[in-house]
Amino acid sequence: MNTPSKEWLEFLRDQFPAGSRVQTWELDDPKNTLKEAGTLNHTDDEGRFHVRQSDGGEPILDLGEEMFSVHPPEPTLLKLYMPLTASFHARNEWGDLDEIGEEWDGRTLLDYEDRILAAMVRNRTPEEAERGLMYWHGVQDSVDAKVRSAMFTAEARDGRLWGVAECQIIGQLSPEELAGLKDFLTGQASDGWGEGFEQREIRVDGGELYAHLWQVDGWSIQTEAERFGQTQDEAKDMEHGTTMTMGGMSHG
């Protein structure tokens, strides 16, 4: 068989990491009955899928020769936390806003969680409907392949309101990939998505809030373990992952 290109191998390995579920069927089966083949162990340099079966068997499935489907693991939820602050501008008796404003931290913002969350939803664009912030990533690398979506939201935790990037991840991010994701989200919080968001007024009693996902001083973006010293439970938010069908046939 022809040796697949490096780009094709990278695509297969990124889209279908170890642990993906594999099913087979026979071409002459009129009902295309799916059979569980096992879980994907790895994809070799020839693009062949090495499958691990429950009985210890390790069949090798070859593109174009066997009929099989590969179902990647369901995404897991990764939360990255960042400090959230806001400028409050009071309205005087004539209805004019104070130009200077007052800086509020996450503790004060706890009472305004619903208003801030609603403003975040309104700040999302139609292009972000499927992948959220990853629509703006613009680089076809392993981070783009593994991070299915990323959305800015807010969460009350330890007596304050935090900015949170909720990311749906396929497989596991390497330390380098996690660092790359953090760099991208930092840019979105400071100069991209967050820049537009902090200009959106949030009407509250007595005036208006302008919330900031990023600040010059004392800012960082961290995982739950890094921020709070504990590991978050993995959450499965999507019922179905992407399915790639080999051999020219498609199954739902």
Side-chain angles (χ1 to χ4, degrees):
M1 65 176 292
N2 294 328
T3 301
S5 67
K6 177 182 177 182
E7 291 76 14
W8 177 241
L9 283 173
E10 289 178 350
F11 171 81
L12 291 177
R13 289 165 177 165
D14 287 337
Q15 294 293 316
F16 306 101
S20 296
R21 180 165 152 257
V22 181
Q23 292 179 303
T24 61
W25 71 91
E26 299 295 335
L27 185 60
D28 58 359
D29 178 7
K31 295 184 179 180
N32 294 327
T33 305
L34 291 172
K35 299 178 182 179
E36 291 294 325
T39 57
L40 180 63
N41 189 26
H42 71 280
T43 303
D44 64 25
D45 291 341
E46 295 182 353
R48 299 179 302 178
F49 288 74
H50 293 243
V51 180
R52 182 174 59 254
Q53 296 177 321
S54 58
D55 61 4
E58 297 184 0
I60 300 175
L61 301 178
D62 202 338
L63 292 172
E65 296 187 12
E66 288 86 15
M67 309 301 293
F68 62 99
S69 296
V70 183
H71 309 263
E74 290 188 359
T76 56
L77 179 65
L78 170 67
K79 291 183 180 181
L80 297 172
Y81 291 81
M82 63 205 80
L84 184 67
T85 61
S87 301
F88 172 70
H89 296 261
R91 193 178 297 278
N92 63 27
E93 57 185 312
W94 297 282
D96 298 322
L97 291 174
D98 178 12
E99 293 184 0
I100 299 177
E102 178 183 346
E103 290 301 311
W104 288 0
D105 64 13
R107 298 180 186 86
T108 307
L109 294 178
L110 272 178
D111 293 335
Y112 301 93
E113 179 179 1
D114 291 345
R115 300 283 182 91
I116 292 173
L117 282 171
M120 286 179 164
V121 172
R122 291 195 298 271
N123 199 58
R124 295 170 185 168
T125 67
E127 294 88 348
E128 297 168 9
E130 182 178 357
R131 300 197 65 201
L133 300 167
M134 296 306 294
Y135 174 83
W136 310 109
H137 188 249
V139 180
Q140 293 184 341
D141 57 8
S142 60
V143 173
D144 192 70
K146 291 183 179 181
V147 184
R148 285 292 182 259
S149 67
M151 297 279 191
F152 281 134
T153 184
E155 180 181 317
R157 186 76 178 264
D158 287 3
R160 68 171 60 200
L161 193 65
W162 297 88
V164 183
E166 291 189 345
C167 308
Q168 294 288 341
I169 309 295
I170 291 289
Q172 292 185 336
L173 297 178
S174 69
E176 294 76 18
E177 290 166 341
L178 178 58
L181 176 60
K182 287 181 176 181
D183 286 343
F184 167 69
L185 293 173
T186 296
Q188 287 297 316
S190 60
D191 298 323
W193 197 95
E195 184 177 14
F197 174 62
E198 69 179 0
Q199 298 175 27
R200 178 183 289 275
E201 73 277 5
I202 304 172
R203 296 182 180 180
V204 297
D205 292 341
E208 294 178 355
L209 279 178
Y210 294 84
H212 314 301
L213 284 166
W214 182 84
Q215 307 90 41
V216 174
D217 298 323
W219 190 91
S220 61
I221 182 168
Q222 296 180 310
T223 65
E224 184 173 38
E226 292 166 339
R227 178 71 68 184
F228 304 108
Q230 62 187 62
T231 303
Q232 69 182 45
D233 294 331
E234 293 183 347
K236 296 182 178 181
D237 284 6
M238 300 176 63
E239 294 182 358
H240 303 287
T242 303
T243 299
M244 181 173 183
T245 302
M246 311 299 179
M249 301 184 69
S250 178
H251 291 263

